[in-house]
Amino acid sequence: MTKSQRTALAVLSAAMLMTILDGSIVTVAMPAIQEDLGFSPAGLSWTVNAYLIAFGGLLLLAGRLGDLIGRKTMFITGTVVFTAASVLAGVATTPTVLVGARFLQGVGSAIAASVVLGILVTIFTEPRQRATAIGVFSFTGAAGASIGQVLGGVLTDALNWHWIFLINVPIGVPTVLVAVRALPADRGLGWSAGADVLGAALVTVGLMLGIYTVVEVERYGWVSAHTLGLGALAAALLAAFVLRQATATNPLLPLRIFRSRTVSGANVVQMLTLAAMFAFQIIVALYLQKVLGYNAVQTGLAMLPAAVAIGGVSLFASARLITRFGERAVLIAGLSLLLAGMSWLTRLPVDAGYLTDVLPVMVAVSGGGLVLPALTALGMSGADADDAGLASGLFNTTQQVGMAIGVAVLSTLAAARTGTELVAGASDAAALTSGYRLAFTVAAGLLAAALVVGVTVLRKRHTSEEVTAAQAVPAF
């Protein structure tokens, strides 16, 4: 790996660090934000929802724009927007300003994150180096998650909640300055290759409306007029978008990309896996705090082994294993580990011991360090250079949709089971634990479905060249 490649990888990883860090650090500080700014309970959720709606809704459009006008331009623009919005969030003194800043953060994240993988696969074209780069990239994501959980509590307690946003500035500014020189210039295909304005409007509004509907499920319920009506409208808009892409002269999303079993299968597996694992992260944190009585910092430290395990496997093992056995085999092994860990949680007791009941799961989720790099490689493998930004945006979109749906479904099921147990006379701790066990059972089912798709849909890709290359994989 050359010096220029290392520098470019560092820039891309720094952007990922900011995005993941921002997503995990906010949840810990939400009680302090509510108390300081006077948020209502329903209004407080919009500090997360505003970000998710903008981020998930714009990823696909932003990814295609990267192909058209240049991925480097999109990356730098997105990072600048995100950093500026972080400053606005950090100095916010009213709920309206903070929610607006969070929406702008989501816009900036979508613009930058949508093209990151597209840039990465065009810089690292050799299989060994690409596997190593993806492993480093995945490690950065795990590091951001672990740092955010601990740092959010530390900054909020030692300083104040404003610093959870301002911490992005010393990361974002150097990232932009280095990116200008380190990332390769690309002119893009030009607007004439796919400037489908109607298609862009349909998919952006459809995705935003769909994500909004999902994140509001806990408030309105699955069978309410609000959920069913807006859900049907979102589905109709997305269906209209698909029809538009099938007939448009220059489609925003050329449907040819779905002809690849590898790309389609990887996106389905990712949606199922992230639905399970993002919900796992949130529900385990709730269990540790509400049932076992951990505070915010203790919760972050308790979950730290999971992030360290994921990061360590993705950084030191995934590249070698992928080049030796192929992405599909590594993916299946990782999913099997995740499924074993989630199955262990289905028996979680009320008075769990950390070493005997929780820590084994934190070790088992090291499978995520195999799953994430393998999925990334598979999800980008079927796209040519002209569609790399599109494939990157699509991959990130299914990731966000999967996380949103997973949290909505599993948290709703857990709350419903908890309510039933309370009515039946169970204690608060027992009722909560019963609800969380149901959520973990459903999450295990999602991982099992992902494993089935990985085995049956994804083709085995393993060449003699990869076997030879595996013998010479250098340490990063």
Side-chain angles (χ1 to χ4, degrees), residues 175-203:
T175 297
V176 171
L177 295 177
V178 177
V180 172
R181 296 178 59 87
L183 297 183
D186 58 319
R187 299 182 59 182
L189 302 174
W191 288 106
S192 61
D196 179 14
V197 177
L198 176 58
L202 288 171
V203 71

Side-chain angles (χ1 to χ4, degrees), residues 26 40 48 53 56 89 107 234 237 250 296 310 422 446 448:
V26 172
S40 66
V48 174
I53 290 170
V107 172
L237 289 171
N250 295 312
I310 292 173
L422 288 173
L446 293 173

Side-chain angles (χ1 to χ4, degrees), residues 284-326:
V284 164
L286 290 173
Y287 170 79
L288 292 174
Q289 294 184 53
K290 293 189 174 184
V291 177
L292 299 187
Y294 288 24
N295 61 31
V297 175
Q298 289 172 329
T299 299
L301 292 174
M303 297 180 68
L304 188 59
V308 171
I310 292 173
V313 170
S314 64
L315 181 60
F316 298 110
S318 63
R320 295 177 180 273
L321 293 174
I322 287 173
T323 52
R324 177 66 179 85
F325 299 105

Side-chain angles (χ1 to χ4, degrees), residues 441-462:
T441 300
V442 175
L446 293 173
L447 290 172
L451 185 58
V452 170
V453 174
V455 171
T456 60
V457 175
L458 296 176
R459 298 183 185 277
K460 184 176 181 180
R461 300 197 313 116
H462 183 57

Side-chain angles (χ1 to χ4, degrees), residues 31-116:
I33 293 173
Q34 181 178 19
E35 181 179 354
D36 189 27
L37 297 187
F39 270 102
S40 66
L44 182 64
S45 65
W46 280 96
T47 59
V48 174
N49 294 347
Y51 180 89
L52 287 176
I53 290 170
F55 188 36
L58 290 171
L59 278 167
L60 191 59
L61 172 60
R64 188 53 177 170
L65 289 177
D67 290 330
L68 300 180
I69 67 176
R71 290 184 281 275
K72 178 178 180 178
T73 298
M74 290 292 288
F75 176 83
I76 293 174
T77 301
T79 306
V80 168
V81 171
F82 178 84
T83 305
S86 297
V87 174
L88 181 60
V91 300
T93 56
T94 67
T96 301
V97 172
L98 181 58
V99 170
R102 289 288 288 160
F103 185 87
L104 290 176
Q105 278 188 307
V107 172
S109 286
I111 295 172
S114 65
V115 296
V116 165

